[in-house]
Amino acid sequence: MDRIDCGELKGVYASTAVIQEIIFWFYNRQLLCELTKAVNVLTHLRNVEWIAITPEICLTASLLISEYNTSPFDAYHLATAISRDKTILSTEHIYDKIKGIKRIEPSDFAKDL
């Protein structure tokens, strides 16, 4: 994340669903103090373009849920990637099943830095 924050990595974007997912994760574990810290760090990263969940992304996400039985958050992440460059950085193998999506394993990405 340091390389993103300092601007060495260009073109980094993420869905605002990432922030929502993190909030749910910490909330469900009652880690409320940690929740605020995590969201604060994430939202203050420089050089990340946050992509809002638009009605079009919601429609695409609903179609992905129907066709591929993804979770809502996975569908939001996919719909965001589809609206951009069809590439997703994730350990989740569900993305490998989606036609036209290129999943990059984070460990592979880190090796190429």
Side-chain angles (χ1 to χ4, degrees):
M1 288 205 306
D2 290 336
R3 294 185 76 186
I4 295 168
D5 196 48
C6 74
E8 284 182 41
L9 291 177
K10 305 283 185 206
V12 177
Y13 68 87
S15 169
T16 54
V18 169
I19 300 167
Q20 291 175 318
E21 191 170 12
I22 288 170
I23 289 170
F24 280 112
W25 190 92
F26 280 98
Y27 177 80
N28 287 336
R29 290 158 182 80
Q30 289 300 295
L31 300 170
L32 304 183
C33 183
E34 293 86 347
L35 180 157
T36 303
K37 290 176 188 173
V39 171
N40 187 45
V41 167
L42 192 61
T43 58
H44 283 90
L45 274 176
R46 292 174 298 192
N47 305 307
V48 173
E49 181 185 0
W50 291 102
I51 309 300
I53 298 173
T54 63
E56 293 80 15
I57 287 176
C58 289
L59 178 58
T60 302
S62 67
L63 293 168
L64 290 162
I65 291 167
S66 294
E67 186 170 342
Y68 295 100
N69 196 30
T70 65
S71 74
F73 282 117
D74 287 342
Y76 286 130
H77 302 318
L78 278 165
T80 301
I82 289 168
S83 76
R84 303 299 293 231
D85 59 5
K86 297 180 176 58
T87 301
I88 195 159
L89 182 68
S90 178
T91 60
E92 299 282 335
H93 292 281
I94 185 73
Y95 300 125
D96 297 333
K97 298 176 183 178
I98 312 302
K99 289 185 277 186
I101 292 293
K102 177 183 176 185
R103 181 182 70 87
I104 299 172
E105 187 71 40
S107 59
D108 294 340
F109 180 77
K111 285 180 207 172
D112 293 337
L113 293 179

